[in-house]
Amino acid sequence: MADPKGFLTTPRQTWPRRSAAERVADWNEVNEVYAGQHLLPLVSRQAGRCMDCGIPFCHDACPLGNLIPDWNDLAFRDTWQAAAERLLATNNFPEFTGRLCPAPCESACVLAIDSEPVTIKNIEAAIAEQAWRLGCERPLAPPGPSGRSVAIVGSGPAGLACAQQLTRAGHRVAVYERDDRIGGLLRYGIPGFRLEKRLLDRRIDQLRLEGTEFHAGVTVGADLSAAELRARYDALVIAVGATCRRELPVPGRALDGVHQAMEYLPLANRVLEGDFATPAISARGKQVVIVGGGDTAADCLGTALRQGALGVTQLDINPRPGERRTAEQPWPVHPKTYRLTASHEEAQALAGRWDGGRDGARDGARQGWDAPVADAVDMADAVDALAMAGEGAAGADARIFSAATLRLEGDPQGGVAALHLAEAAPADRRPRPGTQQVIPAELVLIALGFCGPEPDSPLLGELALALTPEGTLARDSRFATRLDGVFVAGDAGRGQSLIVWAIAEGRAAAAAVDTYLTGATALPAPITPTDRPLVV
Ligand SMILES: Cc1cc2nc3c(=O)[nH]c(=O)nc-3n(C[C@H](O)[C@H](O)[C@H](O)COP(=O)(O)OP(=O)(O)OC[C@H]3O[C@@H](n4cnc5c(N)ncnc54)[C@H](O)[C@@H]3O)c2cc1C
Ligand code: SF4
């Protein structure tokens, strides 16, 4: 056990973020630099809050089965190398989960029953960076070649984790990716201010040095047939993600300036990659409305702020969640509570410097849906004012909760100009009569989630794989499809999920492929295809 009295004497303290004013002026990571050695004493003290409970629920809540109490103890004792070895035993990419995971482990921490949980995610990120610094992340030489080969289609976290496990088991592994760069949603979905791409490149370099081959810019099913891959390799893993986007079926959807989030975010990421200076879709100088309430919507918000939007409003059809877990969401489930992401924090800080303006409309909508719509505000001025005055007064949340989009209104040139909304009734989400509002909208971003692998994918067409009723790729308890030697991993089989699940899927599918190729495996399988998060 770390510090027997740590949970009584040390208050929870999370990793500091840079100031909102500094953050919105660049695209660097919002957190203070993780590799910063100056923060290690803070991490050690926080690790000392772990009670090393007899039954560590945090460990069970992590799909990877991360050995959390073990590495908390080692981080508390400043023995970073040993902590890194424990962490890397269960997680191929802790630098991604340490930054991006919603941390169901913290919701399940025993301290969270009546107090603040251990800062598990921060500790994971710190150990992950120490692992690179101390040389624990050197490329691992595989054992002698097995003589077997595997092709993996898709280079998101599921494909990458599967590739690393199988390469390290001695198989020849090649990853095929239709995008021009490797990484899946880590590359072109999640913005640089949440995951700097140098971290992804560092990891891909490691895989390459270990022997994994990468083929970017190849759409399997079109540029190269799946039949050819099956002939060339002993097994095929399909890790193509769940990239079929949900639509916003309202009048005006076809107007110029209405885009899917995943049309918008990749362009912003490509600017950072140096592909072009100005994205074809930009929030600069525009009133932006984001329709949706999840991570993707928050990423659009942070991106629009950095591009210099005139104002940003996010519409969430769900009611505003409470600050704390309710009796209906008892410990240890991961509850839906009110969260202020870094992007929301930034929008709020900027709104604090606005002169009333459209905030009035937002507040009206939130409080009773009867306030008049006010004029636009100037966000560029707000950024300057914030930088001059410091963090000080925070304004309203950029979100309108319980908001149902009714229709989009155009201007004479065919561009979107306004969005009509109404309060969504809690019971059935239908618009409540008499609550209609109109807000300015010159760029509308649709972030309503994803419904499974793309049904018109040439790869799925060629293989004629069976779908589940939910629209994901069907597989058995060994991640295998009905085609001999063809497996499915990640969001393609699970449906829209999380990075931590994708890594767990990649690891477990690798164990199944290894068994198929050699008759046995020593690779770990942290989950089965049907495992799901703990919900009520
Ligand atoms: C904007 C955004 C933000 C997110 N933020 C978070 C977060 O903060 N935390 C979190 O845990 N999760 C987050 N997620 C979810 C997370 O990114 C996904 O759950 C995860 O990336 C799924 O991994 P995957 O490997 O299954 O698929 P993906 O990452 O989707 O990768 C699939 C890859 O397959 C490729 N592909 C598809 N078809 C073919 C083909 N025929 N040939 C070759 N290649 C093909 C695609 O181009 C893609 O690169 C976010 C998702 C989005 C969109
Ligand atoms: S991967 Fe996620 S759930 Fe697992 S220990 Fe890290 S933050 Fe917690």
Side-chain angles (χ1 to χ4, degrees):
M1 180 173 186
D3 175 359
K5 291 197 176 153
F7 67 99
L8 296 171
T9 55
T10 311
R12 175 178 160 109
Q13 196 183 344
T14 51
W15 203 281
R17 286 177 182 156
R18 296 186 293 132
S19 77
E22 184 186 327
R23 275 160 24 204
V24 292
D26 65 38
W27 294 85
N28 300 334
E29 181 161 335
V30 294
N31 299 299
E32 276 194 25
V33 183
Y34 276 98
Q37 300 295 294
H38 65 291
L39 286 169
L40 291 180
L42 164 72
V43 173
S44 291
R45 269 197 312 280
Q46 289 298 312
R49 295 183 67 237
C50 178
M51 299 190 292
D52 193 12
C53 332
I55 300 173
F57 284 81
C58 57
H59 171 108
D60 270 357
C62 172
L64 287 164
N66 276 349
L67 305 167
I68 298 164
D70 288 19
W71 39 258
N72 277 340
D73 180 55
L74 294 162
F76 171 70
R77 292 173 204 288
D78 243 359
T79 46
W80 297 103
Q81 186 138 356
E85 279 160 19
R86 290 288 199 293
L87 177 55
L88 296 174
T90 55
N91 189 349
N92 296 68
F93 313 132
E95 69 277 28
F96 305 152
T97 47
R99 286 171 170 82
L100 301 168
C101 187
C105 55
E106 292 189 16
S107 301
C109 173
V110 171
L111 274 179
I113 295 175
D114 63 354
S115 171
E116 295 291 331
V118 174
T119 57
I120 298 170
K121 177 173 155 176
N122 286 175
I123 297 165
E124 180 177 27
I127 299 172
E129 287 313 317
Q130 283 295 85
W132 286 96
R133 205 178 68 81
L134 299 173
C136 311
E137 284 288 9
R138 62 191 168 279
L140 294 186
S146 69
R148 306 299 169 93
S149 61
V150 185
I152 296 175
V153 187
S155 69
L160 292 178
C162 191
Q164 185 162 58
Q165 292 295 95
L166 288 170
T167 303
R168 287 179 172 179
H171 305 303
R172 184 168 75 79
V173 178
V175 176
Y176 289 84
E177 168 58 55
R178 70 180 171 188
D179 280 335
D180 56 347
R181 291 186 180 88
I182 300 298
L185 292 174
L186 301 177
R187 172 72 65 187
Y188 287 131
I190 296 168
F193 55 84
R194 289 210 301 129
L195 181 70
E196 291 182 8
K197 304 309 162 191
R198 66 183 172 83
L199 303 174
L200 184 54
D201 292 335
R202 176 177 72 176
R203 185 56 83 174
I204 292 162
D205 286 348
Q206 182 204 43
L207 265 77
R208 237 184 223 117
L209 289 167
E210 289 175 345
T212 304
E213 294 167 29
F214 289 101
H215 304 274
V218 181
T219 301
V220 177
D223 304 326
L224 177 66
S225 72
E228 201 171 332
L229 281 185
R230 291 185 75 196
R232 274 200 236 157
Y233 295 87
D234 298 313
L236 177 63
V237 179
I238 299 177
V240 293
T243 44
C244 174
R245 306 148 186 174
R246 288 217 178 85
E247 256 306 335
L248 178 66
V250 297
R253 167 64 182 90
L255 289 165
D256 285 348
V258 185
H259 300 280
Q260 281 283 352
M262 278 305 291
E263 292 167 348
Y264 171 69
L265 292 172
L267 291 172
N269 272 318
R270 283 183 178 282
V271 171
L272 298 184
E273 297 278 3
D275 290 351
F276 35 76
T278 314
I281 307 169
S282 170
R284 185 165 190 78
K286 292 190 182 133
Q287 287 290 354
V288 180
V289 180
I290 301 159
V291 185
D295 280 332
T296 306
D299 284 345
C300 289
L301 173 62
T303 301
L305 295 178
R306 282 163 181 75
Q307 288 179 339
L310 201 56
V312 191
T313 304
Q314 183 190 336
L315 306 181
D316 189 335
I317 200 162
N318 296 302
R320 187 187 191 279
E323 307 280 339
R324 306 207 155 268
R325 67 164 84 237
T326 56
E328 291 75 45
Q329 309 181 83
W331 179 88
V333 300
H334 190 55
K336 279 199 182 93
T337 49
Y338 180 75
R339 282 189 316 134
L340 211 56
T341 68
S343 297
H344 294 111
E345 213 176 72
E346 290 155 9
Q348 199 170 39
L350 294 176
R353 301 290 155 192
W354 292 347
D355 265 336
R358 200 165 45 85
D359 270 345
R362 276 208 295 263
D363 285 347
R366 229 178 25 205
Q367 285 158 18
W369 290 86
D370 52 5
V373 175
D375 293 337
V377 295
D378 191 325
M379 186 165 284
D381 286 352
V383 173
D384 289 348
L386 181 65
M388 280 189 293
E391 294 300 292
D397 195 330
R399 284 169 285 192
I400 301 177
F401 289 98
S402 298
T405 304
L406 303 178
R407 69 183 178 90
L408 302 167
E409 187 182 313
D411 60 21
Q413 289 73 43
V416 65
L419 183 146
H420 294 242
L421 67 153
E423 184 180 8
D428 57 5
R429 295 176 161 191
R430 295 176 78 85
R432 278 187 45 208
T435 61
Q436 185 165 335
Q437 295 253 344
V438 187
I439 55 173
E442 297 162 302
L443 174 64
V444 174
L445 299 169
I446 303 167
L448 293 173
F450 303 89
C451 38
E454 295 159 25
D456 55 355
S457 151
L459 170 63
L460 304 193
E462 182 192 338
L463 290 175
L465 293 175
L467 294 179
T468 64
E470 293 76 39
T472 56
L473 297 183
R475 60 216 178 140
D476 66 13
S477 59
R478 295 162 299 121
F479 295 85
T481 67
R482 60 189 178 191
L483 299 178
D484 183 42
V486 179
F487 298 78
V488 171
D491 280 9
R494 174 167 295 273
Q496 174 189 355
S497 185
L498 294 170
I499 294 161
V500 62
W501 281 100
I503 299 172
E505 285 256 342
R507 288 171 73 83
V513 172
D514 194 32
T515 306
Y516 170 79
L517 294 175
T518 66
T521 189
L523 295 177
I527 55 168
T528 70
T530 50
D531 282 346
R532 291 290 179 271
L534 188 58
V535 286
V536 281

